[in-house]
Amino acid sequence: MSSISAQSSRVTSVSYSFVLQWTLKGKELKDLSEEGSDTSLIRSDLYHLKTAKDLRFYLEIGKSIFSHYETSIKGTKMWSFKVPYIFLMSKGRAFSLKSTNKLSFLTSFEKSSTSDEDDVEIYCAVYACSAHPAPSAKEDDLSLMEGQNTVDLEGTPDISLPDKYTNENVVDFILRGDIPDFNTNLAIDIIRESKEHKCEALKILCVEYLMKNITARSLSEILRVAIDYDLPLLERACTKKIVNGHFETEVISIFFQNVN
């Protein structure tokens, strides 16, 4: 004789992940770091997930005593929020706005990194998880500031990838915002596949990683990809290493044999 017992189940938490991008002018960020400036913070649009009426949040970039910029996230108290990384891109370079292990190779953004009229693209990932706040928990102020808009987020983003494209590191970055565990070979492969995946942000991150990881062993391969894919910043970084005498004569000789 056999018996079947039924057990009840319930959902204890719900979570979402978002990959966000918004554009600023260089002057907006530069004004934050100016002494005596009236600008104390920059706020993103207010994001609202259509399928979860109470899920709303925005990001802030403000002044900090310990660094040039400080980032934070504000949202409805029924959700807890985390920003695992936030970086920006300007003029083909990527800069860090928040220190994180996987993007430790990025240089911190300085006001000299861009001009007033340059477009600055802010990239970040946001994780939201349903929470059970204490009754005394206060709601963040989500009223709109002047110039701030409400952006409705769809449950499933409309993202298309090339047919049969299988590089999981690229797919995970595009779909979920996961930063790859970079190494030299992976960065070079992603650059070589850039015409397929067309993810400029990830390509620039790869270039930044390679510029900080030029070694005697990787020099010739990194310079080759810089030349083949028209990456002048990376090419100059390789040349600078040679000119500044970072490598032995034997290494340089082998290098020129490999690139010719």
Side-chain angles (χ1 to χ4, degrees), residues 18-36:
F18 306 93
V19 183
L20 303 176
Q21 174 186 350
W22 88 90
T23 304
L24 304 172
K25 286 296 183 182
K27 180 174 173 52
E28 295 178 77
L29 281 171
K30 292 170 75 172
D31 284 349
L32 277 180
S33 60
E34 294 287 348
E35 291 187 14

Side-chain angles (χ1 to χ4, degrees), residues 194-257:
S194 57
K195 287 186 178 180
E196 297 177 62
H197 58 70
K198 297 180 175 62
C199 184
E200 188 68 14
L202 186 54
K203 176 184 173 182
I204 290 175
L205 288 180
C206 289
V207 171
E208 295 286 351
Y209 175 84
L210 292 176
M211 286 197 295
K212 295 293 178 63
N213 289 275
I214 299 170
T215 65
R217 177 174 293 183
S218 65
L219 175 63
S220 60
E221 191 172 8
I222 291 176
L223 183 58
R224 172 54 62 196
V225 78
I227 294 171
D228 289 348
Y229 292 88
D230 191 23
L231 303 171
L233 283 174
L234 186 55
E235 185 176 351
R236 284 198 295 270
C238 291
T239 304
K240 186 176 180 179
K241 286 278 188 178
I242 298 171
V243 172
N244 290 346
H246 285 273
F247 305 117
E248 299 292 336
T249 304
E250 293 82 0
V251 172
I252 297 175
S253 177
I254 295 172
F255 156 72
F256 280 113
Q257 292 175 16

Side-chain angles (χ1 to χ4, degrees), residues 170-204:
V170 178
V171 172
D172 289 347
F173 178 82
I174 293 174
L175 295 182
R176 299 202 303 264
D178 294 348
I179 300 293
D181 292 315
F182 284 109
N183 59 56
T184 299
N185 290 335
L186 175 61
I188 289 174
D189 287 344
I190 291 174
I191 290 172
R192 285 174 173 161
E193 297 168 3
S194 57
K195 287 186 178 180
E196 297 177 62
H197 58 70
K198 297 180 175 62
C199 184
E200 188 68 14
L202 186 54
K203 176 184 173 182
I204 290 175

